[in-house]
């Protein structure tokens, strides 16, 4: 189960030559893979390419018909290792994941793959999560491509260009015997457009061919002395072959303009932003015609020195539009032009900031500064050289930014309404009220939001499934135990070995809470080995309890997160038990979003068919609520809010449950476990009630009417 189904959209994958494809870029990438004759695909879900995995899963019929193998890997390292099939065999393979975190996980396999080289083309499609919308630390993939010498494509955000770069990416890989990375920013992934399709191609070489005639080559093994020869091959053969292919196939693009004294070199993925900035400055139009010459790097590594020298000829200065730090591309361009004796000055960081996403507002200001120094007449023609920054909704400066900040509420990340992790963290908060502050080692996933208010717990986040390992240095202190968090997705990704197995081996005395919500929830609700579902072609339903006992954990407890009394009891026991060794609590509670995706459609169908349906809602009795608000401070549920008190003698606002309530019952559990006020109540909303329920409802209305006080009649 994923957060979005592509069951209808995948029909476009069967379009033939000359037909028009219209749709989302993430679907276009899949179509390009099929047009390229890919033999196998794999990956690990993660924004912004989670939907690519969802598309591939929904396209199984098309993949099976063409003979393409698809596998959702247990981790990015698993996916990267799949590409080993292309080392000795001329089979094309593609994998995908979120970068740079996924690339870090896959780094061992990728480094070995890049050293050995490939026979069949290999393409690694990366969701580059850099900038204001990112959910991770701010790093770029470029450094990894340079370190292992894999070629990096950064296509211009335009569907025909993206499709072309996927297809040429395989050819570049085969021409240079090197893995190729293709970078997709989040806006590019979800962009809509059109292109003229080609026929899908069945793999020219398949897994059955490889198994029928196994091949091996000693010089492809990652052991000395082969590794020394592989390093020399990278520099002496593969790199020149890649540069030659990029140049001959014109993978980079040049757009001319009449202001030839200057030029702009831009990463392909930033082309649309740059064009918008130039259009706002009156130096381009919305159709792509620009007055300043542009050199668009659809291939950001390796660069092509001859193309750079030709573009810089006769120019005073070049502005390099490159996000992030260090300025790898700017340095490489300066080196290439310096070696060729070119006189153009290279400018990048300075007019443009060293860090942060290059939004249109940022790029406008950078171009303004660059032209003000190197071609002021371009701005003078518009009377803009000395003009102060203009406030527009696009560029909120000063007073406008302050007004926007006052009107747009802050929207930090947080757990969803009804999330089963809320009562777990409320239980941990109550535990700390009893026992004092506890060191909590957090982890990547939905549970990372426990580091935010109202829970404010979690001292560090080190990596997916690394919560227990993040507390390793603190788990040998007698008399005091740390608590580590881990989700079931992280558990199967890496946490079973690096977290639980490591804790057993090193005799940790800490506590690990594994949140078992049934899915890889944070990445969109994909299935995992412990999901309780029947999955065609895959085996699920594997027990986390059995897995942790299998690596040597003796103290294991399973609780349901909505049972806060039971959860608190298990936490107290784990903190105080004399039992040595790691303690594991498996906190079960189905992801509420996936539960709603599963249950709500069925309830709608039942209601339409006239069958009885019961939905639970919770509320707060206005007459009983004291306005203490401990319920909100302990759970932070988005459906819990405030409203004015109806009692003039109690001016404090009272708690209120709004219409977004999903009836999980966490608010009532918090009130009960924390011994708060009894103001919470539950309502059962019955659709298509039975006859006796209708009769009982009428009777209740009559009795309530009798008991309700009458308003006195006022005679005029």
């Amino acid at each position: 189960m994923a957060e979005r189904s592509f069951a209808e959209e995948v029909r476009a994958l069967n379009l033939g030559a000359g037909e028009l494809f219209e749709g989302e870029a993430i679907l276009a990438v899949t179509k390009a893979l099929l047009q390229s004759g890919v033999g196998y695909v794999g990956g690990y879900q993660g924004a912004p390419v989670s939907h690519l995995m969802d598309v591939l899963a929904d396209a199984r019929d098309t993949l099976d018909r063409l003979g393409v193998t698809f596998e959702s890997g247990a981790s990015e390292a698993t996916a990267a290792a799949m590409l080993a099939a292309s080392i000795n065999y001329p089979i094309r393979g593609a994998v995908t994941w979120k970068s740079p975190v996924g690339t870090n996980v896959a780094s061992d396999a990728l480094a070995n793959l890049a050293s050995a080289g490939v026979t069949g083309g290999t393409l690694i499609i990366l969701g580059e999560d850099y900038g204001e919308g990112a959910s991770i630390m701010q790093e770029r993939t470029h450094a990894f491509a340079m370190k292992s010498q894999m070629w990096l494509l950064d296509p211009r955000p335009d569907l025909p260009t993206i499709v072309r770069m996927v297809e040429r990416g395989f050819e570049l890989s085969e021409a240079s015997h090197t893995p190729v990375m293709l970078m997709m920013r989040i806006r590019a992934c979800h962009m809509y457009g059109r292109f003229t399709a080609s026929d899908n191609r069945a793999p020219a070489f398949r897994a059955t061919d490889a198994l029928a005639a196994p091949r091996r080559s000693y010089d492809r093994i990652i052991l000395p002395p082969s590794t020394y020869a592989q390093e020399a091959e990278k520099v002496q053969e593969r790199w020149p072959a890649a540069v030659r292919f990029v140049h001959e196939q014109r993978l980079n693009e040049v757009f001319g303009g009449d202001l030839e004294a200057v030029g702009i070199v831009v990463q392909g993925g930033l082309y649309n932003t740059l064009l918008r900035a130039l259009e706002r400055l009156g130096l381009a139009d919305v159709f792509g015609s620009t007055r300043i010459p542009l050199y668009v790097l659809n291939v950001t590594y390796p660069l092509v020195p001859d193309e750079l020298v030709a573009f810089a000829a006769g120019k005073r200065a070049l502005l390099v539009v490159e996000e992030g730090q260090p300025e790898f591309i700017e340095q490489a361009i300066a080196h290439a032009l310096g070696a060729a004796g070119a006189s153009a000055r290279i400018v990048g960081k300075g007019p443009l900031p060293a860090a942060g996403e290059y939004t249109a507002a940022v790029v406008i200001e950078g171009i303004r500064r660059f032209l003000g120094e190197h071609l002021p007449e371009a701005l003078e023609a518009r009377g803009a050289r000395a003009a102060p920054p203009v406030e527009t909704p696009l560029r909120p400066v000063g007073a406008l930014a302050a007004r926007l900040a006052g009107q747009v509420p802050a929207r930090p990340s947080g757990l969803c309404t009804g999330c089963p992790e809320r009562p777990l963290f409320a239980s941990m908060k109550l535990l700390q009220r009893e026992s004092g502050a506890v060191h909590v080692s957090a982890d990547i996933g939905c549970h990372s939001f426990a580091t935010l208010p109202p829970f404010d717990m979690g001292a560090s986040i080190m990596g997916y499934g690394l919560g227990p390992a993040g507390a390793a240095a603190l788990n040998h202190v007698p008399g005091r135990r740390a608590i580590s968090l881990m989700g079931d997705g992280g558990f199967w990704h890496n946490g079973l070995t690096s977290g639980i197995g490591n804790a057993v081996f090193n005799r940790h005395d800490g506590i690990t809470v594994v949140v078992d919500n049934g899915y890889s929830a944070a990445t969109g609700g994909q299935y995992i080995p412990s999901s309780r579902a029947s999955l065609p072609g895959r085996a699920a339903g594997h027990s986390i309890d059995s897995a942790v006992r299998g690596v040597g954990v003796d103290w294991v407890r399973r609780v349901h997160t909505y049972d806060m009394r039971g959860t608190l009891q298990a936490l107290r026991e784990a903190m105080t038990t004399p039992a040595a060794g790691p303690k594991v609590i498996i906190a079960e509670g189905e992801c509420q979003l996936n539960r709603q995706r599963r249950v709500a459609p069925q309830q709608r169908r039942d209601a339409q068919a006239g069958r009885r349906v019961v939905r639970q809602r919770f509320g707060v009795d206005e007459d009983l609520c004291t306005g203490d608000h401990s319920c909100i401070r302990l759970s932070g549920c988005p459906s819990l809010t405030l409203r004015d008190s109806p009692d003039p003698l109690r001016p404090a606002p009272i708690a209120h449950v709004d219409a977004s309530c999903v009836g999980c019952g966490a608010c009532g559990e918090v009130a009960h476990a924390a011994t708060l006020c009894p103001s919470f109540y539950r309502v059962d909303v019955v659709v298509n009630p039975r006859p006796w329920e209708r009769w009982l409802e009428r009777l209740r209305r009559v009795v309530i009417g009798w008991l309700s006080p009458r308003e006195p009649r006022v005679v005029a």
Side-chain angles (χ1 to χ4, degrees):
M1 180 180 292
E3 65 180 350
R4 178 180 170 189
S5 170
F6 288 87
E8 294 296 323
E9 289 93 332
V10 294
R11 295 178 183 176
L13 298 179
N14 297 308
L15 293 174
E19 295 184 274
L20 187 65
F21 175 99
E22 294 183 281
E24 196 172 357
I26 213 73
L27 198 69
V29 169
T30 312
K31 174 62 174 164
L33 293 175
L34 300 180
Q35 292 178 177
S36 302
V38 70
Y40 62 95
V41 287
Y44 190 84
Q45 59 273 358
V49 290
S50 288
H51 284 170
L52 181 52
M53 294 297 293
D54 299 336
V55 168
L56 291 166
D58 286 338
R60 275 190 178 275
D61 290 345
T62 300
L63 299 179
D64 291 344
R65 188 165 57 252
L66 290 169
V68 180
T69 301
F70 168 63
E71 182 173 296
S72 177
S75 71
E76 296 87 352
T78 306
M82 284 184 72
L83 298 176
S86 298
I87 292 176
N88 294 296
Y89 304 103
I91 181 172
R92 289 183 168 182
V95 293
T96 183
W97 55 70
K98 173 193 186 86
S99 191
V101 287
T103 306
N104 293 339
V105 172
S107 59
D108 200 15
L110 289 179
N112 286 324
L113 179 75
S115 186
V118 294
T119 302
T122 58
L123 195 65
I124 304 153
I125 301 165
L126 303 173
E128 187 78 347
D129 201 10
Y130 180 88
E132 294 177 356
S135 60
I136 55 170
M137 76 298 204
Q138 296 296 273
E139 290 186 3
R140 296 184 298 154
T141 304
H142 199 102
F144 195 97
M146 293 173 62
K147 186 271 292 182
S148 290
Q149 279 194 244
M150 294 185 289
W151 317 137
L152 182 61
L153 311 183
D154 188 4
R156 184 162 56 93
D158 162 75
L159 254 57
T161 301
I162 291 172
V163 170
R164 175 172 170 260
M165 295 303 289
V166 170
E167 295 172 340
R168 294 293 179 269
F170 283 111
E171 297 173 10
L172 170 61
S173 177
E174 290 164 350
S176 61
H177 300 291
T178 303
V180 172
M181 294 175 159
L182 184 141
M183 204 166 80
M184 296 281 288
R185 293 170 173 81
I186 189 165
R187 291 180 180 85
C189 286
H190 302 301
M191 174 187 64
Y192 279 75
R194 61 181 64 180
F195 68 92
T196 302
S198 300
D199 289 332
N200 293 335
R201 292 164 49 194
F205 191 93
R206 306 181 186 221
T208 52
D209 301 318
L211 294 175
R215 303 178 190 175
R216 70 178 301 275
S217 175
Y218 176 74
D219 60 2
R220 298 299 97 192
I221 300 299
I222 313 299
L223 285 174
S226 296
T227 49
Y228 309 138
Q230 290 163 10
E231 183 186 20
E233 182 184 322
K234 280 184 179 182
V235 177
Q236 297 168 6
E237 298 176 26
R238 299 186 204 167
W239 192 339
V243 171
R244 192 161 52 248
F245 183 91
V246 171
H247 180 63
E248 291 173 353
Q249 296 296 319
R250 301 179 181 272
L251 299 189
N252 297 319
E253 299 172 285
V254 176
F255 298 93
D258 61 290
L259 299 175
E260 296 181 346
V262 295
I264 299 177
V265 182
V266 61
Q267 290 174 282
L270 295 178
Y271 170 81
N272 288 1
T273 303
L274 173 64
L275 193 68
R276 174 60 169 158
L278 291 171
E279 187 264 332
R280 295 288 296 178
L281 289 168
L283 298 171
D285 62 28
V286 294
F287 301 104
S289 178
T290 171
R291 295 194 62 197
I292 297 180
L294 308 180
Y295 179 40
V296 182
L297 295 174
N298 292 316
V299 183
T300 55
Y301 187 77
L303 299 179
V304 183
D306 289 348
E307 291 182 357
L308 287 166
V309 171
F311 182 72
K315 292 181 172 56
R316 301 177 200 165
L318 295 181
L319 176 66
V320 180
V321 182
E322 171 191 12
E323 276 184 328
Q325 183 77 11
E327 63 278 20
F328 296 119
I329 298 174
E330 183 181 341
Q331 292 178 24
I333 292 174
H335 176 75
L337 296 184
S343 59
R345 183 179 172 191
I346 309 304
V347 180
K349 307 305 179 187
L352 291 163
E357 183 178 3
Y358 282 5
T359 62
V362 169
V363 177
I364 286 172
E365 196 59 37
I367 295 173
R368 189 192 299 272
R369 292 178 181 176
F370 170 73
L371 293 178
E373 181 177 355
H374 299 285
L375 194 66
E377 53 267 33
L379 297 175
E380 287 171 349
R382 303 182 64 246
R385 181 186 180 191
V390 179
E391 284 199 284
T392 68
L394 176 71
R395 302 178 63 251
V397 181
L400 179 59
R403 289 200 302 275
L404 283 173
Q407 295 174 13
V408 180
R411 190 175 180 271
S413 304
L415 300 170
C416 301
T417 301
C419 177
E421 300 185 22
R422 285 188 185 280
L424 167 64
F425 299 134
S427 299
M428 292 174 61
K429 200 165 184 179
L430 291 174
L431 175 74
Q432 295 194 68
R433 283 187 178 181
E434 300 173 2
S435 63
V438 175
H439 178 88
V440 177
S441 179
D443 204 340
I444 287 175
C446 296
H447 35 278
S448 65
F449 299 144
T451 59
L452 304 175
F455 305 113
D456 297 308
M457 61 180 67
S460 61
I461 298 176
M462 295 304 295
Y464 199 26
L466 293 179
L474 307 175
N475 277 324
H476 300 279
V477 180
R480 197 66 182 168
R481 288 169 179 158
I483 297 179
S484 303
L485 295 172
M486 183 195 301
D488 46 0
F491 175 86
W492 294 112
H493 177 276
N494 152 346
L496 176 59
T497 53
S498 63
I500 306 299
N502 180 69
V504 172
F505 181 70
N506 286 292
R507 292 179 170 271
H508 289 178
D509 193 38
I511 304 162
T512 297
V513 178
V514 181
V515 183
D516 181 12
N517 60 26
Y519 311 88
S520 182
T523 60
Q526 290 82 7
Y527 290 118
I528 54 177
S530 52
S531 294
R532 297 161 185 80
S534 177
L535 307 179
R538 286 181 283 180
H542 299 287
S543 167
I544 294 176
D545 310 54
S546 299
V548 297
R549 292 184 188 278
V551 296
V553 178
D554 296 322
W555 197 101
V556 182
R557 302 290 185 271
R558 176 172 281 273
V559 299
H560 201 289
T561 62
Y562 291 119
D563 176 14
M564 286 185 60
R565 284 188 177 273
T567 302
L568 261 172
Q569 182 180 347
L571 287 167
R572 291 187 189 113
E573 184 184 356
M575 291 292 288
T576 58
T577 179
K583 269 68 69 174
V584 175
I585 298 174
I586 302 165
E588 176 187 354
E590 184 181 11
C591 167
Q592 188 65 228
L593 281 183
N594 273 33
R595 182 181 182 277
Q596 293 300 319
R597 295 187 189 111
R598 180 174 57 82
V599 172
Q602 184 60 49
Q603 288 183 336
R604 284 194 296 272
R605 289 192 293 268
D606 289 345
Q608 291 168 358
R611 290 187 286 271
R612 181 176 183 270
V613 176
V614 180
R615 292 184 292 107
Q616 292 184 342
R617 288 285 310 277
F618 284 78
V620 176
D621 191 317
E622 296 180 351
D623 295 325
L624 296 179
C625 179
T626 63
D628 174 70
H629 307 149
S630 291
C631 52
I632 295 176
R633 291 194 298 271
L634 279 169
S635 78
C637 177
S639 66
L640 267 176
T641 183
L642 300 176
R643 69 186 308 174
D644 292 335
S645 171
D647 188 344
L649 299 179
R650 288 183 294 151
I654 60 173
H656 172 68
V657 181
D658 66 22
S660 66
C661 173
V662 296
C664 70
C667 52
E669 274 293 318
V670 167
H672 187 55
T675 320
L676 303 176
C677 63
S679 60
F680 282 91
Y681 62 84
R682 192 187 79 188
V683 174
D684 290 342
V685 180
V686 183
V687 181
N688 300 321
R690 299 187 180 99
W692 67 267
E693 289 177 310
R694 295 180 184 275
W695 176 85
L696 183 60
E697 174 63 15
R698 287 195 296 270
L699 177 62
R700 284 170 174 163
R701 288 182 180 275
V702 171
V703 173
I704 291 172
W706 287 340
L707 298 177
S708 298
R710 303 286 183 179
E711 291 292 332
R713 293 183 60 187
V714 178
V715 180

